[in-house]
Amino acid sequence: MEFKDYYDILGVAEDADKADIKKAYRKLARKYHPDVSKEKDAESQFKEVAEAFEVLGNDERRAEYDQLRKYGRKGESFTPPPGWTGAGQGGRAGGGGFEFADGGDFSEFFSSIFGGGGFGRAGAHARSSRGFDSSEDFYSRRGQDVEIDLPVFLEDTLRDEQKTISYKMPKYDGSGAVTEVKKTLKVKIPKGVVDGERIRLKGQGGPGFGKGAAGDLYLRIKLVPHPLYDVVGHDLHLTLPIAPWEAALGAKITVPTLTGKISLTIDPGSQTGKRMRVKGKGLPAKTDQGDLYVILKVVMPEKIDDKSKALWEQLKDTGKFDPREELRRQSA
């Protein structure tokens, strides 16, 4: 099997922190999302990015992977070292990635290192009724339920959205043995869905055997990470960079929301970390609407020319501001 360089897939350095890894994942997940991407092999790229985040976004799996990197190189054939028994063996991945309705497992590399699991395998998520339905004759059996993950953009939660999905499901053949078939279906995603919510579609699971009823399909909503917003319940959090002079003097700044741009007034003397609430600009709930929280972050220019430096020197000489006054007072 081929060795996979997950750092290279996400485009991050080996010493990248969790924030950088999450940021890279969000950007690539949105770029390659099969619903919108026009990139070649977008779906396979999306799965590869999700797999990389499953590993690097989890401290335990990342530590194991870092140990293995000394034994393999990108694109080369790889075999786990003798006696390898990583703590992830046999466990289902769960670092925040996606499973897909149209099948396809984690790569052979992932499975050999961290054990089983896969993207949307009906066999892995099906919940069989086990045994025969007491309301039917002896030779009838209810079809299996199927549960799959459905990636949904934040923008799609603002309205009722229709999506076409494909998924694999178990089916009993004439002898009662289980086979696997693919099904395509148009589904309506109701406004206001949240991450992890389960939607039941009755009778859309595996067909029954004999007089047995069909199983059900369960859609588990997975909100696609947004490059700008963090989701907290039905609220959205946006980090807004502002210049030092905007923080000191105040300013009117254009801020993006999911439904368009708004103008936000920054008060003079604003500090990094200040939270500003914009009511009703979050995600819809069943009975109300979440809010948008804008968190200010004062940033410095990366380069300062001589003229700007002279002005900063002038401010230093004339200003009476002591940012460490409280620190000195408490340490005295």
Side-chain angles (χ1 to χ4, degrees):
M1 66 180 172
E2 179 182 323
F3 181 84
K4 287 188 174 291
D5 189 332
Y6 292 129
Y7 290 100
D8 182 70
I9 290 172
L10 291 184
V12 297
E14 296 177 21
D15 59 352
D17 59 23
K18 273 193 169 183
D20 287 336
I21 290 172
K22 185 177 181 181
K23 182 178 179 180
Y25 167 65
R26 286 181 164 189
K27 180 179 178 180
L28 292 173
R30 200 164 185 86
K31 177 180 179 181
Y32 293 118
H33 192 281
D35 281 357
V36 297
S37 179
K38 296 182 180 179
E39 299 282 340
K40 183 179 179 181
D41 299 326
E43 183 177 335
S44 61
Q45 294 275 17
F46 188 52
K47 292 181 179 181
E48 194 166 60
V49 167
E51 179 176 309
F53 185 66
E54 288 282 354
V55 175
L56 301 187
N58 178 283
D59 291 338
E60 183 181 357
R61 281 194 293 275
R62 183 179 181 181
E64 294 177 25
Y65 174 70
D66 287 343
Q67 294 177 27
L68 286 175
R69 289 190 83 225
K70 65 182 71 172
Y71 299 103
R73 292 184 179 179
K74 175 186 175 183
E76 294 185 357
S77 179
F78 176 76
T79 301
W84 171 256
T85 54
Q89 286 277 22
R92 162 71 172 85
F98 293 103
E99 299 170 26
F100 298 90
D102 52 358
D105 293 342
F106 284 119
S107 69
E108 181 184 2
F109 175 77
F110 181 98
S111 298
S112 68
I113 302 306
F114 300 107
F119 290 116
R121 291 188 301 168
H125 298 286
R127 294 179 291 114
S128 171
S129 56
R130 302 291 179 187
F132 298 102
D133 191 328
S134 60
S135 65
E136 299 166 346
D137 62 47
F138 183 78
Y139 295 102
S140 296
R141 182 179 293 181
R142 181 182 181 275
Q144 288 186 340
D145 292 341
V146 177
E147 185 167 341
I148 61 174
D149 284 352
L150 182 63
V152 174
F153 286 122
L154 295 187
E155 293 85 350
D156 293 339
T157 68
L158 303 180
R159 55 190 177 273
D160 291 335
E161 185 74 11
Q162 190 174 66
K163 286 183 174 289
T164 300
I165 64 171
S166 295
Y167 57 101
K168 292 180 180 179
M169 60 184 182
K171 176 183 178 181
Y172 297 107
D173 63 17
S175 64
V178 178
T179 59
E180 195 172 59
V181 295
K182 185 175 182 179
K183 184 173 183 177
T184 299
L185 190 68
K186 283 190 175 182
V187 298
K188 184 178 181 181
I189 308 302
K191 174 182 176 181
V193 293
V194 297
D195 192 58
E197 183 174 344
R198 294 168 79 243
I199 299 174
R200 177 192 178 204
L201 300 178
K202 187 176 180 180
Q204 296 298 336
F209 179 67
K211 296 181 180 180
D216 299 330
L217 172 65
Y218 290 86
L219 303 178
R220 187 167 56 243
I221 301 299
K222 285 285 187 180
L223 294 183
V224 177
H226 196 282
L228 297 180
Y229 309 105
D230 286 318
V231 179
V232 182
H234 290 93
D235 296 330
L236 297 177
H237 288 196
L238 169 67
T239 298
L240 179 66
I242 61 174
W245 47 89
E246 291 174 325
L249 304 176
K252 283 189 175 295
I253 298 179
T254 299
V255 176
T257 74
L258 290 178
T259 56
K261 297 179 180 180
I262 62 172
S263 180
L264 195 64
T265 300
I266 308 300
D267 292 332
S270 293
Q271 303 284 340
T272 288
K274 179 179 179 180
R275 287 160 50 101
M276 304 179 68
R277 177 190 177 202
V278 183
K279 188 175 181 180
K281 289 298 182 180
L283 300 178
K286 301 301 181 183
T287 57
D288 57 4
Q289 187 86 12
D291 301 324
L292 170 65
Y293 287 88
V294 178
I295 299 97
L296 301 184
K297 180 181 180 181
V298 180
V299 296
M300 288 291 297
E302 293 184 1
K303 296 181 180 179
I304 301 178
D305 57 26
D306 291 339
K307 183 178 179 180
S308 298
K309 185 176 180 181
L311 291 173
W312 283 112
E313 291 285 352
Q314 182 180 354
L315 180 62
K316 182 186 72 173
D317 294 338
T318 58
K320 297 181 180 180
F321 174 59
D322 182 0
R324 291 171 293 282
E325 179 180 359
E326 182 66 16
L327 178 65
R328 277 193 286 271
R329 186 183 67 81
Q330 293 187 5
S331 61

